[in-house]
Amino acid sequence: MPRGEDRREGLTGKARARPLYTAEERRRRDGTVWTLVQGVLAPAQFLVFLVSLALVLRFLATGEGYAAATVSIVVKTGFLYGIMVTGAIWEKVVFGRWLFAPAFFWEDVFSFLVIALHTAYLWALWSGALAPFDLMVLALAAYAAYVINAGQFLWKLRMARLQGGAA
């Protein structure tokens, strides 16, 4: 088989990717209020994340500001839960399923890791299972997962824009 040819696809170079949205899914995406809700919540959550990250790092560096860092993590987690619920509604409207639509399968899978880490933080805070320093390290792990997941969604947004321009 010649280099760069894929017999399964019958293509030279790279295989054609399924568009992120069909024409009908794009119509539903553009026609639902949940797209706007996601468009407002995502940057708001990111701003809360940046403030919270600064407060967590301040506490870890100086030992000061534990209460402010804790409140900010709880607020960030509230935003995360809100965006997850409204995102599931958005997916149901656009793709006909609450979660794990093929176009966003891996983003949804990773979202569950993000939610699990944030929820573990809340549980550890509520139960007293971890000391303040350890709670902040757990929050940083949750935040690292969040940044990766946000990157996944930003990549999909870029792909949607590129595919939308080509359509």
Side-chain angles (χ1 to χ4, degrees):
M1 174 164 57
R3 185 171 169 81
E5 183 175 294
D6 184 345
R7 284 190 184 177
R8 292 170 295 154
E9 299 293 329
L11 299 173
T12 301
K14 58 185 177 180
R16 293 179 214 253
R18 176 195 180 277
L20 194 56
Y21 300 99
T22 65
E24 181 58 25
E25 290 165 347
R26 186 177 298 279
R27 185 194 63 72
R28 288 192 300 262
R29 180 203 68 191
D30 294 346
T32 181
V33 68
W34 296 107
T35 299
L36 176 62
V37 169
Q38 292 293 290
V40 169
L41 283 179
Q45 179 183 205
F46 188 72
L47 289 175
V48 170
F49 157 74
L50 289 176
V51 170
S52 184
L53 178 63
L55 292 170
V56 169
L57 292 175
R58 175 179 172 245
F59 171 77
L60 289 172
T62 68
E64 296 177 16
Y66 174 74
T70 299
V71 168
S72 73
I73 297 164
V74 172
V75 170
K76 161 67 174 74
T77 302
F79 269 88
L80 176 68
Y81 289 162
I83 205 165
M84 183 64 179
V85 168
T86 59
I89 295 167
W90 177 87
E91 241 176 281
K92 178 67 171 168
V93 170
V94 175
F95 297 106
R97 55 192 335 173
W98 292 104
L99 288 169
F100 304 113
F104 288 92
F105 180 83
W106 290 110
E107 291 78 4
D108 288 349
V109 167
F110 209 83
S111 290
F112 274 92
L113 172 64
V114 175
I115 287 172
L117 287 167
H118 281 76
T119 302
Y121 172 87
L122 291 180
W123 175 83
L125 175 67
W126 176 76
S127 69
L130 295 176
F133 181 87
D134 297 327
L135 278 168
M136 295 301 152
V137 171
L138 178 55
L140 285 181
Y143 285 4
Y146 162 73
V147 167
I148 292 168
N149 196 224
Q152 288 178 300
F153 282 104
L154 287 172
W155 178 257
K156 283 293 171 85
L157 179 61
R158 176 162 167 68
M159 292 298 101
R161 286 190 178 162
L162 291 173
Q163 290 174 359

